[in-house]
Amino acid sequence: MGNLSIVLLVIIAANAIISFKGFSDFAFFEKYKFSVGGILRGEKFRMFSSGFLHVDMGHLFFNMFTLYIFADIVVSYLGNLHFLIVYIGSLLLGSLLSFYFHKNEYHYSAVGASGAVMGIVYSAILLQPNMSLYLFFIPIPIPAYIFGIGYLLYSMYGMKKQLGNIGHDAHFGGAIGGYVITLMLASWLFKEHLLMIVLLAIPIVLLFVLKKLGKI
C-alpha cells in the first residue's frame, strides 16, 4: 500500500475506535449519530461524527474492507492529501443529501462511513473506469463504469422504495461527492475519460429531476 498505509490506517483506526466506543456506550452513540432532530436543534457536528459510528462489527468491517480495496487507486493518482479531501468531502455530501431528503422526518437517524467510502469508490471508478469489478453473486467481471451507473440507479430505487435499513441517500450523496471532488482535483479526466464522466453523471442528474417532479 506504500505511502497510503499511514492515511488509510488513521482513517480505519478512527472508525474502529469511535465505533467500538459507540458499541458499548449508548449515550455516546446517541449523541454523535446522524439525527435530523439533533441537526435541527443546531448540532451540525452530527453530520461529520456519524460517519465514524457503525451499528455492529459487520457494518464496520464491510465499510473498512471496501475502503481498503479502492483507496490505493485514489491515492496513487491524487496523493494522500487529496485522498483525504475526497473522503471527508464525500462523508459530508452524504450527510447533506440525507438531510435534504429527510429534513421533515424529525426522528430519522443513521450512522456509518458508507457515504465517505462510496466517494472513494466513485473516485476510483472515474480514475480507472475500465477496471474490472467482481460482485459476490456474479462470477464475471463488470467494467467499473457500468457498476457505477448501476449502483446509483439501484440506490435511487432503494430511496424511492425505502429498501432495508440502508442509507441509500447517504451512499448516493457520497458518490456525488467523490465524483465532483475528483473532477475538481483531476481536471485532466475531462480530456481522457469524457464519455465516462457524462455517463456517470446521468443517474445524478436523473435523481434531482425525479426529486423535482416529486417521484422520489
Side-chain angles (χ1 to χ4, degrees):
M1 298 291 289
N3 294 330
L4 177 62
S5 58
I6 294 175
V7 178
L8 183 61
L9 283 174
V10 168
I11 290 174
I12 292 175
N15 273 278
I17 292 168
I18 295 170
S19 292
F20 276 111
K21 172 69 172 172
F23 293 160
S24 59
D25 188 336
F26 179 76
F28 178 86
F29 186 89
E30 289 295 304
K31 181 178 180 179
Y32 292 106
K33 71 180 182 181
F34 180 95
S35 163
V36 170
I39 293 167
L40 289 173
R41 291 194 302 270
E43 299 167 357
K44 304 293 193 297
F45 63 84
R46 290 175 180 269
M47 288 195 170
F48 179 75
S49 61
S50 60
F52 293 88
L53 287 168
H54 292 81
V55 293
D56 54 35
M57 275 296 298
H59 188 206
L60 173 64
F61 174 79
F62 181 79
N63 275 337
M64 294 303 99
F65 181 72
T66 304
L67 176 65
Y68 175 84
I69 295 298
F70 289 93
D72 196 36
I73 296 171
V74 178
V75 82
S76 66
Y77 279 92
L78 302 182
N80 292 318
L81 177 59
H82 287 168
F83 166 79
L84 198 57
I85 290 172
V86 173
Y87 185 90
I88 298 299
S90 299
L91 188 164
L92 294 173
L93 259 292
S95 291
L96 284 169
L97 196 71
S98 283
F99 185 74
Y100 174 66
F101 274 90
H102 298 283
K103 59 183 179 291
N104 296 320
E105 301 170 43
Y106 191 83
H107 296 290
Y108 180 85
S109 64
V111 294
S114 300
V117 172
M118 286 309 302
I120 295 299
V121 171
Y122 272 79
S123 180
I125 289 173
L126 272 177
L127 294 164
Q128 286 191 8
N130 292 313
M131 67 177 169
S132 295
L133 300 179
Y134 288 85
L135 300 181
F136 295 117
F137 49 87
I138 302 177
I140 57 174
I142 300 172
Y145 72 94
I146 291 178
F147 168 83
I149 294 167
Y151 188 84
L152 286 187
L153 292 174
Y154 166 74
S155 293
M156 253 193 293
Y157 178 74
M159 291 160 67
K160 181 175 176 61
K161 298 295 185 180
Q162 297 184 330
L163 294 177
N165 189 27
I166 299 171
H168 296 286
D169 31 41
H171 293 186
F172 205 111
I176 293 173
Y179 177 89
V180 172
I181 297 168
T182 299
L183 291 177
M184 291 171 65
L185 296 173
S187 57
W188 53 267
L189 287 169
F190 287 99
K191 185 176 182 180
E192 294 197 12
H193 300 313
L194 182 59
L195 177 59
M196 302 305 178
I197 290 171
V198 172
L199 289 175
L200 285 165
I202 291 172
I204 297 173
V205 173
L206 184 60
L207 172 72
F208 290 102
V209 169
L210 291 176
K211 175 65 174 175
K212 187 77 172 177
L213 295 175
K215 301 295 186 181
I216 292 182

